[in-house]
Amino acid sequence: MVHTTGPGPSLQEGPDGEARYRLVPGEDAKGVPMRLEKDSLGELEVPADAYWGIHTARALVNFPITRRAISNYPDLIRGIARVKQAAARANKDIGALSAEKADIIDQVCEELWSGALHDQFVLGAVQGGAGTSTNMCANEIIANRGLELMGHQKGQYEYLHPIDDVNRSQSTNDVYPTAIKLGMVLGVQRLFEEHQLLAQSFAQKGLEFQSILKVGRTQLQDAVPMTLGQEFGGFATTLREDHDRIKETIPFLCEINLGATAIGTGITADPRYPEIVREHLATLTGLDIRTAPDLIEATSDAGVFMTLSGTLKRAAVKLSKICNDLRLLSSGPQAGLGEITLPARQAGSSIMPGKVNPVIPEVVNQVAFAIIGSDATVTAAAEAGQLQLNAFEPIIASSILQSVVWLTNACKTLRVNCVEGITANEERLHQQVEASVGVVTALTPYIGYSQAAAIAYEALAGVGTVRELVIAQGLMDEAELERVLSPERLSGLTLTTGVITLPPVDLDEEESD
């Protein structure tokens, strides 16, 4: 809640009961304890117990765009915490901050890293100002929590100031992009783990189904036989191909512009600061943090975000294609392909009793659609930057961070709630293979293409199965036919060849938020 002694922000209730910030003249505090804060635009009262302050209050009025506050992006908050913590340590080393102030900031940042005070990041992630409001919100929260630890009241900034102390040697223009890169690394690490587990799950199904013959299909038409294990092994392989692409984004994200301050010239920062803050950030994160060789370029360039966004889109599209296949393979179950059965997760219809829908693949499809849209947003925002800064990094950050979390969660729910419980409908698969004309392709080296084509037409006309017709016409004896049409020969593989087995996942990352 925000109140004001003059024109300023105040929490009002809209006609739909939703809390909204508005500009209203001279409203009383209505019994809510308040404190008065001042900035270059004037004075405002903010709730006495809030860790955020006047800059955040103004942003709440200016950017009532989304209900998804920064608190919904904990990785971004953790990234900011590490940046501010490294900055405090560097400023202490070069004498730009007293040891007392630097140590307090350091302590608060460690609390933020551990998850404390995330609820105080009340701003929407989408905002104007290139992330200035997010940076100032963090500065205010750190300062007010620090004041509390020092035995002072919130808002007594003469003892610990949000800008002069917490933001010392910094600008939003180097803090914010560095923080969102760190947040993205945290998310990508968890995504990699879940993506790898999903690929492993498909590989295990490939082993389980390795000897089950089925009809392959191209262009939704019957093709030659294969095994169900080969199909699921192929799913594992297509996912595995994205592992390296996902991991390759991390080194790019570890190139930062911290120390560039406003536009890359390093104004207001000690010349020693960039290297010292880099060293501290590398120690705090355990990452190979590197300072960009050209800080002017690094402050304005958003290329790394396009790279990551494109990688996420690639992974999402490929995963969505697999989900399309799972829905097709499980379609029916009576009038469709019905080759596999997906775990039943909920009643499928409010009107048709017994109907069960493939809801898990469907939700993963929708995640992919959203990520495709997010990539378009990131592309437009990256292109729209001008001169020495891209002002649209907030929408880039929110788009990518959401995509990372959604894709991570999609991989997990697909694995746990779908893939691990898939069963093969072996009798139906066997019947389809026996009835398939596609097996005649395997006979062409023995009976010739023309004879094989004639057999195919007869089989399609319902005269008999390929096997029956070949034996009846004396083209091959039963033993020879059995050898040629064995699962090993039809699939072109031994029973274990072509099934992907991935190494065990040994990453020790926290659960996705």
Side-chain angles (χ1 to χ4, degrees), residues 86-295:
R89 293 183 182 186
N91 283 321
K92 177 182 175 181
D93 290 348
I94 63 178
L97 268 183
S98 68
E100 179 189 18
K101 289 182 176 181
D103 291 345
I104 283 292
I105 294 170
D106 195 321
Q107 181 179 342
V108 176
C109 288
E110 194 62 35
E111 291 181 1
L112 288 174
W113 173 262
S114 300
L117 300 177
H118 284 203
D119 63 321
Q120 293 296 302
F121 286 82
V122 294
L123 296 176
V126 179
Q127 55 192 244
T132 297
S133 296
T134 297
N135 185 36
M136 284 306 307
C137 181
N139 290 335
E140 290 171 339
I141 292 169
I142 293 168
N144 282 309
R145 173 57 179 155
L147 288 169
E148 195 171 58
L149 292 173
M150 296 167 73
H152 302 295
Q153 297 296 314
K154 297 183 185 70
Q156 291 186 308
Y157 297 137
E158 63 269 26
Y159 300 107
L160 187 66
H161 198 276
I163 299 176
D164 294 337
D165 298 322
V166 181
N167 202 62
R168 178 62 64 91
S169 306
Q170 304 155 60
S171 164
T172 293
N173 301 346
D174 62 349
V175 166
Y176 187 70
T178 301
I180 61 179
K181 287 178 181 179
L182 294 181
M184 289 171 187
V185 169
L186 293 172
V188 165
Q189 288 173 332
R190 284 194 299 274
L191 169 60
F192 180 79
E193 179 180 356
E194 284 297 340
H195 197 268
Q196 191 176 22
L197 287 170
L198 177 60
Q200 179 68 47
S201 184
F202 275 112
Q204 290 167 347
K205 283 295 170 181
L207 288 171
E208 180 183 338
F209 301 150
Q210 62 180 341
S211 62
I212 302 174
L213 274 177
K214 61 159 287 176
V215 177
R217 295 178 182 83
T218 58
Q219 295 164 274
L220 292 180
Q221 303 299 304
D222 296 347
V224 298
M226 64 186 300
T227 70
L228 190 61
Q230 287 175 311
E231 191 161 39
F232 274 75
F235 294 155
T237 300
T238 197
L239 290 173
R240 188 180 63 172
E241 287 176 349
D242 284 320
H243 291 347
D244 290 343
R245 304 292 82 75
I246 293 171
K247 287 188 71 174
E248 284 167 0
T249 63
I250 292 178
F252 294 110
L253 292 168
C254 289
E255 183 176 285
I256 62 169
N257 71 328
L258 203 57
T261 65
I263 64 170
T265 62
I267 192 170
T268 75
D270 187 290
R272 298 170 293 170
Y273 173 80
E275 176 55 23
I276 295 174
V277 76
R278 184 204 64 78
E279 291 175 356
H280 282 299
L281 193 58
T283 299
L284 285 165
T285 61
L287 298 171
D288 182 21
I289 300 295
R290 304 178 311 282
T291 302
D294 185 338
L295 292 179

Side-chain angles (χ1 to χ4, degrees), residues 332 346-349 352-358:
Q346 67 180 49
S349 174
M352 292 175 281
K355 192 172 191 293
V356 178
N357 294 325

